[in-house]
Amino acid sequence: APYLSPSLLTDAYNAVLKLRSRKLRVDALTALAASLPPQQQRQALNEALAAVQQIADASMRAEMLVTLVPHVRLEALPQALAVSQPNKWSRYRAVDLAARAGRLAEAGLSEEALGVARRVEAEPVRAGLLAELAGRLPPLQREPLLAEALAAARQVEWADKRSQALAAVAAGQAGAARSATLGEALEAARQAGWDLVRVQALLRLVPVLSPWQRLRALADAWITARRMQPAALRPRAMAANWRARRATRA
């Protein structure tokens, strides 16, 4: 498209509008929009939004919106948000809302981004989003939002996922608060039910832990790896532990 003359771009645009597949039409309009003059670009993205709105399947609609929203101009965001109604599949909804929150934050609409992030039902995703958005706010607004993210992370049911969510929150903290949250993340990782999952959760934390926390995580991971059942998984877990140890010395 960047190499087409204005008349050929217009022909291409008109041809794309005739595509029967809404998915293909959205993809083609999104790709073509970057090469169009501003007025036609807005028109192309509006056509793409209209096509997304006509997609009946909720998961497909969410997937297409995730593709489309980064290209939507700021003035078209309200229409994009209206098109993407929460769908019935929570994992698609989480992806959908997470993408929208990131896009809104990029546009400088922090309050709107927070509203979107708070609607995410999956606690690990919500905690990570809130922590990420907190980093975009002034210090006085950051702390309450990090506290909200921490509360969401603590509600995560599965221990290994809770550990990940807590680590995401800690990334936005400093000093004693960061150390305390990483301590919680470490304890959550140690509570993971399956041996292999526990080792993976512990080793995932190693790069961000303080020196003494790191030693404890590596020791726990090594002990778990050595007694792991089934025994056939032990070499894999022990090798992962050795790699983590070497990485900390590099």
Side-chain angles (χ1 to χ4, degrees):
Y3 306 103
L4 297 179
S5 66
S7 60
L8 287 177
L9 277 173
T10 300
D11 291 343
Y13 174 68
N14 291 331
V16 165
L17 291 179
K18 296 176 182 178
L19 290 173
R20 299 182 112 187
S21 167
R22 294 187 181 96
K23 182 181 185 306
L24 288 178
R25 199 186 318 152
V26 172
D27 286 339
L29 284 167
T30 303
L32 193 61
S35 302
L36 294 171
Q39 186 173 354
Q40 278 188 294
Q41 185 180 77
R42 286 192 292 271
Q43 186 178 350
L45 290 172
N46 286 338
E47 291 283 356
L49 283 170
V52 170
Q53 194 170 19
Q54 293 167 9
I55 295 174
D57 182 81
S59 62
M60 178 64 72
R61 190 168 64 247
E63 180 185 341
M64 295 311 300
L65 188 81
V66 169
T67 302
L68 179 61
V69 160
H71 303 280
V72 174
R73 296 170 67 85
L74 183 58
E75 61 267 25
L77 272 173
Q79 184 182 352
L81 298 181
V83 167
S84 176
Q85 296 301 322
N87 63 67
K88 59 185 178 182
W89 290 9
S90 60
R91 79 182 180 96
Y92 280 106
R93 185 181 181 196
V95 171
D96 173 9
L97 293 175
R100 284 162 50 183
R103 176 61 174 133
L104 287 168
E106 289 170 9
L109 303 175
S110 296
E111 288 301 319
E112 290 84 347
L114 286 175
V116 170
R118 284 170 175 146
R119 289 173 53 195
V120 176
E121 295 172 356
E123 285 91 355
V125 178
R126 185 167 75 251
L129 268 176
L130 290 172
E132 180 183 346
L133 291 171
R136 304 171 186 269
L137 298 177
L140 288 178
Q141 295 175 278
R142 187 180 306 148
E143 292 307 317
L145 190 56
L146 284 172
E148 185 179 343
L150 182 59
R154 286 169 173 164
Q155 292 173 9
V156 178
E157 181 178 2
W158 294 98
D160 61 313
K161 300 299 182 186
R162 184 165 66 254
S163 175
Q164 277 186 276
L166 287 165
V169 175
Q173 296 176 312
R178 175 185 170 86
S179 180
T181 302
L182 285 175
E184 287 189 54
L186 179 55
E187 287 304 313
R190 296 178 73 234
Q191 294 167 16
W194 295 348
D195 288 344
L196 182 58
V197 173
R198 189 181 315 133
V199 169
Q200 291 172 336
L202 287 165
L203 296 182
R204 194 182 295 120
L205 289 175
V206 165
V208 299
L209 295 175
S210 66
W212 71 266
Q213 289 174 327
R214 188 180 304 140
L215 287 173
R216 184 178 180 189
L218 288 169
D220 286 347
W222 181 251
I223 292 169
T224 303
R226 290 189 64 183
R227 70 185 184 201
M228 183 175 293
Q229 296 296 333
L233 293 175
R234 291 176 190 171
R236 173 183 169 187
M238 293 171 75
N241 191 288
W242 276 114
R243 286 195 298 272
R245 286 174 184 271
R246 284 200 301 269
T248 61
R249 295 172 188 154

